[in-house]
Amino acid sequence: MDDYHHVVACMHEVSNLARKIQSEGRICLALGGDHSVTIGTVDATVNAHEDVAVIWVDAHADLNTPATSPSGSAHGMPVALLAKDLADYWPYLPGMDWQVPKLPLSNLAYIGLRDVDEYERLTMEKFNVCAFGMQDVESLGITGTVELALRHVDPYKRRAIHLSFDIDALDALEAPSTGTPVRGGLTLREGIHIMEKVHETGRLAAVDLVEVNPHLGSARDVATTVQAAQQLLLAAFGHSRLGNTPRARDLPLTKGATLKKES
Ligand SMILES: NC(=[NH2+])NCCC[C@H](N)C(=O)O
Ligand SMILES: [Mn+2]
C-alpha cells in the first residue's frame, strides 16, 4: 500500500491529542470512522500509562502488514503496526518516525473474531495471541469470555485498559451500516455486557468505537447502527440498564408535600 504513511502521519496528531486528554486523567473516547485511528489512540494510551492492556472487540484481527494484507486497507493493519513483537516486519515508511511500536501482543485479547486472514492466523499462532472467536463466545458464554479476556490481559488488576470496539464485532443485523459487515456476530446485549464489565474494572483509560458508517445502508440501517453505538458507549461510561442513582441522592418532594418521618 503506497499511502499508508499518510495515515500514520495524521495519526501523530491524534496521538498527541489523546495523550493530552489521558494525562489530564480523563478517559479518551475516539469515534470512527476507520479502525486505523487506533494507530493514534492506542499509541497515546501506551505512552500515557506504564502498563497497558488492550481488549480488541472485532470481527477481524486487523493484524495484517503491507506484506500480508489481501486488500491493502489501512484498517486491516493497526494491531500489527502497534505491536512491539512485529516491529521487524514493517518497512521504513516516511512520516512514521514518531511511532514506536510498544504494545506487547501478550497484553492484548480479541473478542468476536470470525473473519481472520491466513497470515493473521499465522501471526496469532506464532505469537500465541489471546483470541476469543465466536466459537469461544458460544461455548463460554459472554460472561465467561469477558472474565477470561480480562484475566489474560490484566491478571493483577493494575493495568490501564484500552477498549477498542469495532462495530462490525456485532452481527450485521445489529449494526448493518459498516464497511466490512460479517454475519454470525455478537448481539448488542453481548456488546453491552463487554462494555459494562470493562467499566466495572475502574481502570478504563480509552475507548474507540469505530467503523460506524452512516453513508452505508438505508435510513433504518443507519438508525439501528447508531443506536447500537450509543448503547455501547453509555455502558462503557457507566450507564446501568437497571438505572443509575442521581448524584443528589435525596428524593425530591413534590411542591406542597412534607416529609412526616425521616427515612
Ligand atoms: N477494521 C476493519 N473493518 N477491518 C477489516 C479488515 C478486513 C481484511 N482482514 C483486510 O485486512 O483487509
Ligand atoms: Mn477493525
Side-chain angles (χ1 to χ4, degrees):
M1 177 184 165
D2 295 334
D3 58 357
Y4 198 49
H5 60 280
H6 292 307
V7 178
V8 180
C10 295
M11 287 310 129
H12 193 189
E13 302 286 315
V14 173
S15 173
N16 287 339
L17 184 60
R19 230 184 272 196
K20 181 171 178 291
I21 292 168
Q22 295 199 42
S23 67
E24 291 163 0
R26 296 189 287 154
I27 299 176
C28 179
L29 166 64
L31 298 178
D34 201 285
H35 212 162
S36 59
V37 74
T38 47
I39 296 164
T41 60
V42 173
D43 179 79
T45 310
V46 296
N47 281 292
H49 303 269
E50 283 273 296
D51 204 3
V52 170
V54 176
I55 303 272
W56 194 278
V57 188
D58 205 324
H60 313 92
D62 295 352
L63 195 50
N64 279 302
T65 68
T68 68
S69 170
S71 66
S73 303
H75 70 174
M77 304 182 195
V79 179
L81 191 71
L82 292 159
K84 194 176 169 187
D85 320 56
L86 293 175
D88 293 344
Y89 291 84
W90 285 84
Y92 171 77
L93 295 176
M96 62 175 279
D97 309 69
W98 64 273
Q99 199 264 352
V100 181
K102 279 194 180 168
L103 179 72
L105 281 172
S106 54
N107 289 29
L108 171 111
Y110 287 111
I111 299 177
L113 298 184
R114 58 194 181 280
D115 185 9
V116 177
D117 299 325
E118 286 180 4
Y119 280 98
E120 290 181 312
R121 178 77 229 160
L122 184 68
T123 309
M124 286 162 65
E125 283 168 11
K126 187 172 164 69
F127 295 96
N128 214 358
V129 177
C130 175
F132 298 91
M134 288 311 298
Q135 301 98 312
D136 301 301
V137 176
E138 277 149 28
S139 42
L140 298 165
I142 195 65
T143 313
T145 300
V146 178
E147 264 174 33
L148 287 178
L150 280 170
R151 204 180 303 162
H152 175 87
V153 294
D154 189 20
Y156 303 106
K157 300 186 195 287
R158 59 177 182 221
R159 290 183 172 150
I161 301 177
H162 186 113
L163 176 54
S164 201
F165 200 114
D166 187 323
I167 198 84
D168 72 27
L170 298 188
D171 190 86
L173 286 176
E174 302 267 22
S177 292
T178 189
T180 47
V182 191
R183 293 295 307 279
L186 298 171
T187 63
L188 176 56
R189 281 165 53 189
E190 288 168 331
I192 291 172
H193 181 86
I194 298 170
M195 293 307 213
E196 287 176 348
K197 287 294 164 190
V198 175
H199 172 85
E200 263 175 35
T201 64
R203 288 187 307 285
L204 183 58
V207 183
D208 315 302
L209 202 285
V210 297
E211 300 289 345
V212 175
N213 189 343
H215 296 296
L216 297 178
S218 65
R220 196 190 165 129
D221 289 341
V222 174
T224 305
T225 310
V226 170
Q227 281 163 13
Q230 286 170 334
Q231 296 285 320
L232 291 170
L233 288 175
L234 283 169
F237 284 87
H239 172 80
S240 161
R241 287 178 279 181
L242 209 54
N244 293 75
T245 333
R247 264 172 228 253
R249 296 185 73 88
D250 271 350
L251 191 60
L253 287 170
T254 309
K255 208 165 173 228
T258 42
L259 258 192
K260 303 202 175 44
K261 207 170 83 194
E262 205 58 50
S263 52

